[in-house]
Amino acid sequence: MEESKRRIYCLQFFCFILIGCFAFQTFASSSGTVFYESFDQSFEDSWTVSENEEYLGVWNHSKSEGHDDYGLLVSEKARKYAIVKELEKPVEVNNRTVVLQFETRFYNQLECGGAYLKYLRPQESGWTPKQFDSNSPYSIMFGPDKCGSTEKVHFIVNTKFQKNGKYVEHHLTYPPKIPLDKMTHVYTAILKPDYEVSILIDGEEKKKVNILSPEDFHPPIVLPKTIPDYGEHKPEDWDDSKQIPDPDAKKPDDWDEDIPMEIPDEDAVKPKGWLEDEPDEIDDPEAVKPEDWDDEEDGEWEAPKIDNPKCEFVGCGKWQRPMKKNPDYKGTWKAPLIDNPNYMGVWKPRQIPNPEYFELENFAVEPIAAIGIEIWTMQEGILFDNILITNDETTAASIRDTTWKPKFLVEKANQTAEEDAAGIEGLKGIQKSVFDVLYKIADLPFLSGHKMKVMELIEEAEKKPSLIVGIILSLAVVVVSPLLKILLATKKNQTKVKEGGKMAAAQGEDATSPRRRNTRRDG
């Protein structure tokens, strides 16, 4: 029966893959798809590996672990990598929707390295595929990067500064975080005609910004007309304190600043059984003088100290009353705050014309002529796959569902199984620690009359770990019962002491009263 179910599940999964592939082919052949690379075939005939001497990292055409799906693999650690693919014709980014999407997987998670793509400008801007490097001019850079405190999904737009013609990198101000695990993830950037950008991770929108917004990108593309005059300094007589101590307030006559914060608790009573003659620490009885110890050279050997086990539940040494909060404590007197009549507000430097300002005219994101991966990574095992450029969001969503999602679901299930297995091993370790503690509890002196019962419960728990919670509760009852008896006996003794004190006081008062004295004199 189980075998037939497995066959049915396998057949369903295979049909799902076939349907997905058919759907993908339909969308891939539509006019919305500009470029798509699945790496089903080797990359060597269609991609150009940089011959720049700095980029020695070896690219591999590799199957994604656990899947019948290939990708482009970073195979060595502590290397620079560079590879590029030219498009048949440049992609215009302006006045239309453009979707950039790709998958990446970190076999060893991402500790220090980049996994982003560069969308390069036409070669007329000054680069060649065989010499592709970090200086090759790009239009957009997009993808994950992590090293040290850096942990983000880059989105950088490289635009021409209209005043001097130089290119400036505009970084997303608050980029989304990277999923730091070993599973396949898909990154999507959707650029709209109004320069709105949505960044998705695994199909879920993580950030929505606008390229022209000064708050969303740094440095901003649209510069402010005025800027603060940073050469100006706050005047010395500027009063920016909103509140000040009341100059007319006076410390009350009965305010005593010397009263301590805590005082001994006079109601506290030394616990019954407190061992005043016992030290807090004793020589370790299991310690043995080392065989190579030389008294003449090393001095007289002394056993290391351990906590005195007799002091564990009651206490040892000279007993002192515990401290409690002093109800009369007031602390240092401070004058109450009042509104400052001379408050001048928060000082800011004056605004001056921005010398870099210009009227933005005919702004455009540079066209994309090639896709490049140029990274420096300290680890191997970074896999790239299913790189897509399209004008259709539906196409991108369909490819996510048919290429990324089936892999992710398998990886997620495997990760859950691994975590469950690790949890079981961790639970076994916890159970061992619990039993070690329980055996120590069984040896406590005040439980000597219940030791056999406690040992029986512990042995039963070891045989049936699933019952451990209920058995621990049973042990708690066994342990707490004698403790309650001790506490009740202590309380009873304290009550007797108090009652005896009251009786003695009453007798003393009666003996010195005028009526008692008169009676004695009359007799």
Side-chain angles (χ1 to χ4, degrees):
M1 184 65 180
E2 292 298 327
E3 181 65 27
S4 62
K5 284 184 178 179
R6 281 196 293 270
R7 290 178 179 176
I8 292 172
Y9 292 151
C10 290
L11 182 59
Q12 289 176 340
F13 182 75
F14 181 69
C15 291
F16 174 74
I17 294 295
L18 285 178
I19 293 170
C21 291
F22 175 76
F24 160 69
Q25 291 295 335
T26 301
F27 280 111
S29 62
S30 66
S31 58
T33 301
V34 178
F35 171 81
Y36 178 70
E37 175 62 83
S38 66
F39 293 107
D40 290 337
Q41 304 298 324
S42 177
F43 63 89
E44 295 175 350
D45 295 333
S46 55
W47 289 70
T48 302
V49 177
S50 176
E51 297 177 359
N52 188 304
E53 60 184 8
E54 291 186 21
Y55 297 88
L56 302 177
V58 177
W59 296 96
N60 284 345
H61 182 239
S62 176
K63 185 181 289 188
S64 182
E65 291 181 4
H67 310 292
D68 289 327
D69 184 41
Y70 285 84
L72 183 64
L73 181 68
V74 170
S75 63
E76 300 174 302
K77 62 176 65 175
R79 297 283 190 182
K80 287 185 176 181
Y81 290 80
I83 191 169
V84 66
K85 167 70 176 180
E86 297 180 76
L87 305 182
E88 292 183 2
K89 62 179 182 179
V91 177
E92 293 295 333
V93 182
N94 305 283
N95 302 317
R96 69 185 62 190
T97 295
V98 175
V99 182
L100 311 176
Q101 183 170 283
F102 69 99
E103 296 173 15
T104 187
R105 183 181 184 186
F106 312 129
Y107 288 144
N108 303 311
Q109 298 187 343
L110 189 61
E111 296 175 358
C112 185
Y116 43 79
L117 270 57
K118 288 185 174 180
Y119 299 87
L120 299 160
R121 304 207 304 270
Q123 291 187 40
E124 291 78 10
S125 58
W127 70 279
T128 60
K130 290 188 177 181
Q131 290 301 314
F132 172 49
D133 61 12
S134 60
N135 295 318
S136 299
Y138 66 89
S139 175
I140 294 171
M141 190 172 107
F142 172 51
D145 184 25
K146 182 183 186 302
C147 203
S149 59
T150 300
E151 180 192 327
K152 57 188 175 182
V153 178
H154 281 296
F155 189 87
I156 304 173
V157 182
N158 201 4
T159 66
K160 184 186 291 186
F161 188 45
Q162 294 186 7
K163 288 200 71 171
N164 57 20
K166 294 182 179 180
Y167 281 84
V168 179
E169 292 182 349
H170 304 276
H171 294 247
L172 184 61
T173 307
Y174 301 106
K177 295 285 186 181
I178 307 166
L180 295 176
D181 54 40
K182 300 179 181 181
M183 296 187 290
T184 304
H185 294 282
V186 57
Y187 296 86
T188 309
I190 304 172
L191 289 73
K192 294 295 185 70
D194 59 357
Y195 301 109
E196 181 182 88
V197 179
S198 295
I199 295 177
L200 286 64
I201 301 177
D202 297 344
E204 180 181 348
E205 184 177 84
K206 299 295 184 180
K207 183 71 66 174
K208 179 179 283 189
V209 294
N210 194 290
I211 293 175
L212 300 182
S213 169
E215 290 78 23
D216 292 337
F217 284 85
H218 180 79
I221 293 174
V222 179
L223 300 176
K225 290 184 178 182
T226 61
I227 59 173
D229 182 2
Y230 293 111
E232 188 179 18
H233 301 285
K234 183 174 71 173
E236 294 182 0
D237 60 350
W238 189 277
D239 192 342
D240 55 5
S241 298
K242 199 169 186 178
Q243 289 189 313
I244 59 172
D246 185 355
D248 297 327
K250 294 182 179 180
K251 183 173 71 173
D253 294 336
D254 61 348
W255 192 285
D256 188 349
E257 294 183 345
D258 297 327
I259 293 177
M261 184 183 296
E262 291 184 328
I263 56 174
D265 185 358
E266 297 297 334
D267 295 329
V269 178
K270 182 171 66 174
K272 184 179 180 181
W274 187 276
L275 306 174
E276 288 195 344
D277 297 331
E278 285 285 344
D280 291 332
E281 293 183 333
I282 61 171
D283 292 342
D284 185 354
E286 298 181 0
V288 179
K289 180 179 178 181
E291 293 181 0
D292 59 349
W293 187 276
D294 190 327
D295 289 341
E296 293 184 0
E297 293 185 3
D298 302 326
E300 184 180 355
W301 181 80
E302 295 181 357
K305 299 290 185 180
I306 62 170
D307 292 336
N308 191 341
K310 295 181 180 180
C311 308
E312 188 172 356
F313 288 96
V314 183
C316 296
K318 184 180 179 181
W319 181 78
Q320 294 181 339
R321 297 182 184 278
M323 303 296 285
K324 69 174 185 178
K325 186 176 180 181
N326 188 349
D328 298 325
Y329 173 76
K330 293 184 177 180
T332 304
W333 181 83
K334 295 180 181 179
L337 296 176
I338 60 171
D339 292 338
N340 184 0
N342 299 320
Y343 176 63
M344 302 171 71
V346 178
W347 183 84
K348 295 179 181 179
R350 65 192 177 101
Q351 295 286 313
I352 59 174
N354 184 357
E356 302 293 333
Y357 175 76
F358 62 91
E359 291 286 346
L360 189 65
E361 299 177 357
N362 301 320
F363 171 77
V365 178
E366 300 281 345
I368 297 171
I371 297 174
I373 305 175
E374 185 274 317
I375 56 176
W376 184 12
T377 177
M378 299 305 294
Q379 66 188 88
E380 78 283 14
I382 301 176
L383 188 75
F384 295 89
D385 199 4
N386 295 310
I387 300 174
L388 171 72
I389 300 177
T390 181
N391 301 124
D392 184 14
E393 294 181 53
T394 306
T395 300
S398 175
I399 291 178
R400 284 196 303 269
D401 290 341
T402 55
T403 64
W404 162 76
K405 198 166 189 176
K407 292 185 291 187
F408 179 79
L409 293 176
V410 171
E411 293 162 8
K412 185 70 174 176
N414 291 339
Q415 177 178 279
T416 302
E418 290 175 3
E419 290 173 351
D420 290 345
I424 291 172
E425 291 301 318
L427 182 59
K428 289 180 180 178
I430 293 171
Q431 286 175 353
K432 183 180 182 303
S433 301
V434 169
F435 287 124
D436 290 343
V437 172
L438 292 178
Y439 278 116
K440 289 181 180 179
I441 291 175
D443 289 330
L444 294 176
F446 73 89
L447 286 176
S448 57
H450 303 271
K451 185 170 182 178
M452 293 304 297
K453 179 63 176 175
V454 173
M455 294 295 291
E456 288 176 3
L457 288 170
I458 296 173
E459 289 173 2
E460 186 177 352
E462 284 187 309
K463 293 176 183 177
K464 300 178 181 178
S466 60
L467 303 178
I468 190 169
V469 174
I471 290 172
I472 288 175
L473 291 175
S474 301
L475 283 171
V477 173
V478 175
V479 172
V480 169
S481 296
L483 285 176
L484 286 175
K485 290 180 180 179
I486 293 172
L487 293 173
L488 289 173
T490 302
K491 188 172 182 181
K492 187 175 182 181
N493 290 335
Q494 291 174 354
T495 304
K496 287 181 178 180
V497 171
K498 289 182 179 179
E499 289 177 352
K502 290 179 180 178
M503 291 175 66
Q507 290 174 358
E509 181 182 347
D510 188 44
T512 56
S513 66
R515 183 175 179 181
R516 170 65 69 181
R517 288 198 299 271
N518 290 340
T519 303
R520 288 178 178 175
R521 189 165 48 245
D522 293 343

